[in-house]
Amino acid sequence: MGISFFSPLGASEGRGGRQHSLAARILLHIFDKPSAERLLVKKSAQPSSEKADWMRSCLELADSPKDSCLPNPRVGALILHRNKVISKAFHAGPGKAHAEALAIQRARSKGFRKFSEASLYINLEPCCHLNKRTPPCLPLVLDCQFKEIFIAHPDPNPQVAGRSIRALRRSGAKVEVGLLKEEAEDLNQAFLKNQQEGMPLVRLKAAMSFDGRWACPNGESKWISGERSRALVHHWRAKSQFIGIGYESLKRDGSRLNARLGRRSKPKNILVFGGPKRLGKNLPVIKANGMDRVHQIPSGVDLRKSLQTLYKEKGVCEIFLEGGPRLATSFLEADLVDHWMIFYGRGLIGGSARYTIGADWALKSPQESIKFQPQRVELLGSDVFVEGKLHVYRSRTK
Ligand SMILES: NC(=O)c1ccc[n+]([C@@H]2O[C@H](COP(=O)([O-])OP(=O)(O)OC[C@H]3O[C@@H](n4cnc5c(N)ncnc54)[C@H](OP(=O)(O)O)[C@@H]3O)[C@@H](O)[C@H]2O)c1
């Protein structure tokens, strides 16, 4: 387990009882409490009620598939009767049963019939549209006449968009929407971006030396980060729908880019940016994942248009972008990165800035920089892992 540096001033449970984080203690020593709070990176206020705890279990269920569920969202469902779990289920991906349908079916197969005294927890509004492989869940949920239904957030799919919530309310059910909304939206960031913008979500992963280098001046980058960080990368590869990589990195590192979790090694869908017209069949990435899983995007394309086409025509909903720095820079310049995952190794590399983000940028002041909003900071062995959203995009002067 990593250490969360930016615990809110509300303090965390430590060995010696309730403790403030080091940062919080220092700030409280210097400033009054309101000013210290302003200076700390605050997590959103997390409701800590029984209902929120049930919804949290629902989100954990939703997140249990080890592979991507896209183009479908991650959904978990819980049925409770007198505070006891009657059944639970999660959606395992396209073509598979929806979480609430499965939870209802499991409850029924146990002989449970008292749905009108039961509560349903689900992180996404039930579906009500027909043009898909699985039947809509709304009729099933209506038929159960649950006493109460908790939904983390509405489904932005224009074919649903609050229709199911309204239908459930019209039926007389007590429906509460918005419990742990922020956490639930984070879980389905890619699905939400797909529905709202018709684009894939891009997560940029980088392993950097403590001074921001992706590789030594000779291009060697094995290994800037430690074993724990690399294990987390494999976990994220497994969960992601597509992996993106620049040709130079592929050529230099001979990466396989499959997801190696314990003994299991799973092929992935790969997008290679740039490189020669035809990729050599002997590239490790092709051997490990198969020729038909590796797609190439020629250099010099308009990246934004190209991602829109990849979404519409090839169903690319999410890209876990593994670099290198030139490709990452292209994505940042086109304002296409949604989420950062940076592993800072403990070494200082120095030398030229060739293998850094924006090696050619010439900012005139820090105010012009691209900013990101850290959401999580953890120690992974001796690496520092920082994760967050891209916050503000500003064009830079070359
Ligand atoms: N530490 C890490 O996490 C990490 C991760 C990956 C790689 N690396 C290191 O990074 C180094 C390689 O990085 P690099 O910066 O030289 O190259 P790179 O980013 O791996 O690859 C650049 C490639 O991306 C293509 N490209 C860039 N913008 C594009 C666009 N808009 N559309 C399509 N293709 C585009 C380029 O094509 P054109 O040249 O044809 O424009 C080029 O082939 C290696 O030393 C590797 O070890 C480190």
Side-chain angles (χ1 to χ4, degrees):
M1 272 291 279
I3 296 168
S4 201
F5 289 169
F6 297 112
S7 59
L9 279 180
S12 61
E13 210 64 49
R15 252 191 295 170
R18 286 175 69 73
Q19 286 181 343
H20 291 300
S21 72
L22 176 63
R25 284 204 305 275
I26 295 169
L27 288 170
L28 279 167
H29 186 69
I30 305 173
F31 300 102
D32 57 24
K33 196 173 172 197
S35 316
E37 266 172 353
R38 262 201 318 279
L39 290 168
L40 272 169
V41 177
K42 278 188 281 175
K43 286 185 180 166
S44 61
Q46 305 287 345
S48 60
S49 63
E50 212 170 273
K51 289 176 189 172
D53 289 343
W54 287 123
M55 184 58 86
R56 205 160 277 122
S57 309
C58 196
L59 292 177
E60 277 166 20
L61 270 172
D63 197 28
S64 43
K66 287 199 168 61
D67 303 317
S68 169
C69 288
L70 290 163
N72 290 3
R74 291 183 178 270
V75 188
L78 270 182
I79 297 176
L80 295 179
H81 182 246
R82 298 193 181 141
N83 251 3
K84 269 180 62 186
V85 177
I86 300 300
S87 67
K88 54 186 179 180
F90 60 82
H91 175 55
K96 307 268 172 60
H98 286 194
E100 58 275 54
L102 208 51
I104 292 170
Q105 184 198 321
R106 285 180 182 161
R108 283 189 175 140
S109 64
K110 282 182 186 169
F112 182 76
R113 298 287 177 269
K114 295 180 179 167
F115 290 102
S116 59
E117 296 174 11
S119 318
L120 171 68
Y121 282 78
I122 180 163
N123 57 302
L124 186 75
E125 176 180 11
C127 63
C128 56
H129 51 308
L130 292 165
N131 51 347
K132 55 189 176 56
R133 278 178 281 184
T134 43
C137 296
L138 177 65
L140 260 180
V141 179
L142 281 169
D143 187 50
C144 291
Q145 298 183 326
F146 283 101
K147 183 178 82 167
E148 48 185 10
I149 301 169
F150 298 91
I151 299 170
H153 62 82
D155 184 344
N157 180 340
Q159 296 182 87
V160 186
R163 282 189 183 83
S164 298
I165 292 170
R166 289 194 292 277
L168 288 166
R169 283 189 173 138
R170 274 199 306 273
S171 78
K174 186 181 153 216
V175 184
E176 191 177 317
V177 182
L179 198 56
L180 297 193
K181 179 172 181 280
E182 224 175 287
E183 282 180 35
E185 286 179 346
D186 273 352
L187 183 69
N188 276 312
Q189 272 182 69
F191 172 75
L192 296 178
K193 173 144 192 203
N194 299 161
Q195 294 297 326
Q196 287 160 353
E197 295 179 40
M199 293 272 290
L201 180 102
V202 178
R203 292 179 209 279
L204 174 60
K205 164 251 145 184
M208 295 186 194
S209 60
F210 217 74
D211 52 345
R213 265 69 174 168
W214 293 49
C216 293
N218 64 358
E220 188 56 55
S221 63
K222 284 178 182 161
W223 296 106
I224 283 182
S225 58
E227 222 173 310
R228 283 221 218 162
S229 300
R230 299 202 299 276
L232 196 61
V233 168
H234 281 274
H235 166 82
W236 270 99
R237 270 188 199 161
K239 286 205 156 204
S240 303
Q241 192 201 21
F242 277 80
I243 313 295
I245 185 125
Y247 178 72
E248 291 306 321
S249 297
L250 263 194
K251 198 173 63 173
R252 174 79 180 68
D253 301 341
S255 320
R256 286 177 277 168
L257 297 179
N258 54 359
R260 301 188 287 284
L261 300 171
R263 287 200 203 151
R264 217 163 52 108
S265 188
K266 284 201 92 179
K268 294 298 306 177
N269 297 310
I270 313 289
L271 301 172
V272 178
F273 292 84
K277 268 198 178 146
R278 275 197 177 185
L279 297 174
K281 276 187 195 151
N282 289 328
L283 274 177
V285 73
I286 291 181
K287 285 190 170 166
N289 303 286
M291 192 66 140
D292 21 324
R293 282 180 173 267
V294 181
H295 311 272
Q296 199 179 8
I297 290 89
S299 59
V301 294
D302 177 327
L303 271 183
R304 178 168 290 277
K305 281 194 188 140
S306 162
L307 292 202
Q308 281 161 343
T309 311
L310 284 168
Y311 172 68
K312 280 193 197 110
E313 294 176 9
K314 304 250 184 258
V316 178
C317 299
E318 174 190 46
I319 304 172
F320 185 62
L321 194 66
E322 297 222 20
R326 253 200 306 147
L327 184 65
T329 302
S330 289
F331 268 74
L332 284 163
E333 286 176 340
D335 194 11
L336 289 171
V337 177
D338 300 287
H339 196 93
W340 286 80
M341 301 173 89
I342 303 182
F343 300 87
Y344 287 100
R346 62 180 167 165
L348 297 172
I349 286 182
S352 88
R354 158 78 180 84
Y355 295 111
T356 56
I357 283 178
D360 302 331
W361 295 347
L363 300 197
K364 294 194 178 70
S365 89
Q367 282 67 41
E368 292 175 16
S369 62
I370 294 177
K371 312 273 192 310
F372 93 105
Q373 182 64 52
Q375 291 176 303
R376 192 154 73 105
V377 181
E378 287 189 11
L379 262 187
L380 297 173
S382 50
D383 296 346
V384 179
F385 173 61
V386 187
E387 183 179 17
K389 285 183 183 159
L390 205 71
H391 193 43
V392 178
Y393 179 77
R394 284 175 187 272
S395 55
R396 290 154 312 287
T397 330
K398 281 230 173 190

